[in-house]
Amino acid sequence: MNAPDYHIPGSTPASPPATSAANEVTAARTVNEVLAQSQVEAVLDELDRDLVGLAPIKQRIRDIAALLVIDKLRMNLGLAAVAPSLHMSFTGNPGTGKTTVALRMAEILHRLGYVRKGHLVAVTRDDLVGQYIGHTAPKTREVLKKAMGGVLFIDEAYYLYRPENERDYGQEAIEILLQVMENQRDDLVVILAGYKDRMDTFFKSNPGLSSRIAHHLDFPDYAVDELSQIAQRMLMQQHYRFGEGAAEVFRDYLQRRIAQPHFANARSVRNALDRARLRQASRLFAERDRVLSEADLTTLTPADLLASRVFQSPSP
């Protein structure tokens, strides 16, 4: 039996673009004119500035942006009539920047007129798949309706369908998703994300999804130097800093933590700094009669880091 032809209401074609800025872009005849009118380069520069490392990912995003700019110029000359397929797969371990890059991608697509709104809707299986008959379709359609005109980011997409459970309703969500990805690709970009090995298995068992993915981006783990830079940026954003010797201790922490299970790159860095702040707060709280200076309140010491359980285990 063929799946029903789903159409999510509220969708309008992306050609011609709906926004006034995008309408201006359609008159462009050079790359510089498209860049100047869309301000896409500002987003690419933010990506370079705000994200540590990820050189291959940044280059791939620039390549995609270049493709869209050239496609825009081709469209202006009547050389292209069909909107390009922009659905993507982001694979990699947790904390490698997949959601952040997806947000930037949504902005790029919006500025070039490929999506109407440029917002990102991030979901997991629980947002799409119901627990009983007749529950999945309305849940999935509601999520798709919210995402129309922007980007739908499905994290851990391989959990959508569990073939070992004969009463699982994930396949229904996949069928609706497949129809919308094909029929309304001029108004919605879908990004499927998760661990690479599990995503590879998921695509093999769902060739219809795999055939609709135009761009596969594999996010590498961060090196220790990159994680140290991320930590410094996080501290600056919260008006903290490492005291004397603390940066070296934190680097030692990273080397030990990477070798342990469930390491989640930037996410683990954030968690480690949060715990260090808790220890600093407890240390300062105990000094109730002392007048605390700005340096006291903003400095993490080696002791605040060395109390971690990571240092109770032998180093790798």
Side-chain angles (χ1 to χ4, degrees):
M1 175 181 288
N2 292 330
D5 190 5
Y6 289 100
H7 180 86
I8 306 301
S11 170
T12 56
S15 297
T19 63
S20 58
N23 282 328
E24 292 176 2
V25 172
T26 59
R29 294 295 175 143
T30 69
V31 169
N32 276 336
E33 286 176 2
V34 176
L35 293 175
Q37 294 168 4
S38 66
Q39 297 296 303
V40 162
E41 219 158 21
V43 182
L44 297 172
D45 291 343
E46 285 176 10
L47 198 65
D48 284 334
R49 183 178 65 250
D50 295 345
L51 282 181
V52 172
L54 298 180
I57 297 300
K58 292 174 180 177
Q59 183 56 53
R60 187 65 184 277
I61 296 299
R62 284 189 173 274
D63 290 344
I64 293 172
L67 174 69
L68 298 181
V69 169
I70 297 303
D71 188 72
K72 183 68 64 178
L73 293 173
R74 287 173 53 86
M75 195 181 304
N76 293 347
L77 294 176
L79 297 175
V82 179
S85 177
L86 295 169
H87 303 308
M88 304 179 190
S89 168
F90 286 5
T91 55
N93 290 323
T96 48
K98 296 187 291 295
T99 305
T100 302
V101 172
L103 283 164
R104 294 290 193 273
M105 195 71 241
E107 192 171 356
I108 290 170
L109 294 171
H110 174 57
R111 293 194 180 200
L112 286 171
Y114 284 90
V115 291
R116 291 176 294 122
K117 300 177 182 177
H119 64 302
L120 180 98
V121 174
V123 299
T124 62
R125 170 193 163 89
D126 289 344
D127 300 297
L128 299 167
V129 181
Q131 297 180 352
Y132 51 85
I133 294 175
H135 192 207
T136 294
K139 283 188 74 171
T140 301
R141 284 197 292 267
E142 182 61 28
V143 167
L144 288 166
K145 184 177 179 180
K146 291 178 181 177
M148 279 297 160
V151 172
L152 176 63
F153 182 86
I154 306 177
D155 199 14
E156 297 184 309
Y158 32 77
Y159 287 134
L160 278 179
Y161 181 50
R162 295 169 175 166
E164 71 280 0
N165 184 354
E166 61 181 17
R167 300 184 65 181
D168 185 80
Y169 303 112
Q171 186 61 37
E172 185 178 3
I174 292 174
E175 289 172 0
I176 296 172
L177 194 62
L178 284 170
Q179 290 284 347
V180 173
M181 287 173 70
E182 181 64 28
N183 297 340
Q184 296 175 260
R185 63 180 184 175
D186 57 355
D187 199 38
L188 178 71
V189 170
V190 175
I191 299 178
L192 306 176
Y195 290 104
K196 180 171 174 51
D197 56 344
R198 297 183 189 180
M199 289 297 293
D200 288 344
T201 302
F202 177 65
F203 284 136
K204 287 178 183 176
S205 61
N206 292 275
L209 272 175
S210 180
S211 66
R212 286 166 173 78
I213 300 298
H215 305 282
H216 293 262
L217 283 72
D218 188 26
F219 287 63
D221 287 330
Y222 288 108
V224 170
D225 286 343
E226 293 170 336
L227 292 167
S228 295
Q229 292 180 51
I230 290 170
Q232 294 283 5
R233 292 188 180 196
M234 288 180 177
L235 289 176
M236 287 178 60
Q237 289 169 358
Q238 299 181 44
H239 302 288
Y240 280 86
R241 67 181 184 87
F242 284 135
E244 184 176 355
E248 291 74 17
V249 172
F250 191 73
R251 182 181 177 84
D252 187 11
Y253 168 89
L254 290 171
Q255 291 172 329
R256 293 166 180 261
R257 181 66 184 88
I258 286 174
Q260 295 182 350
H262 310 300
F263 180 70
N265 290 279
R267 195 177 303 168
S268 290
V269 169
R270 182 183 298 108
N271 292 339
L273 294 178
D274 285 346
R275 288 190 289 269
R277 290 175 56 235
L278 282 173
R279 298 187 198 104
Q280 182 229 33
S282 296
R283 173 171 54 81
L284 297 177
F285 183 79
E287 303 180 35
R288 300 192 176 194
D289 294 326
R290 187 165 74 87
V291 176
L292 299 175
S293 67
E294 181 177 333
D296 292 326
L297 295 169
T298 59
T299 302
L300 298 181
T301 68
D304 298 326
L305 300 165
L306 288 167
S308 168
R309 285 178 296 179
V310 170
F311 289 104
Q312 311 312 312
S313 305
S315 59

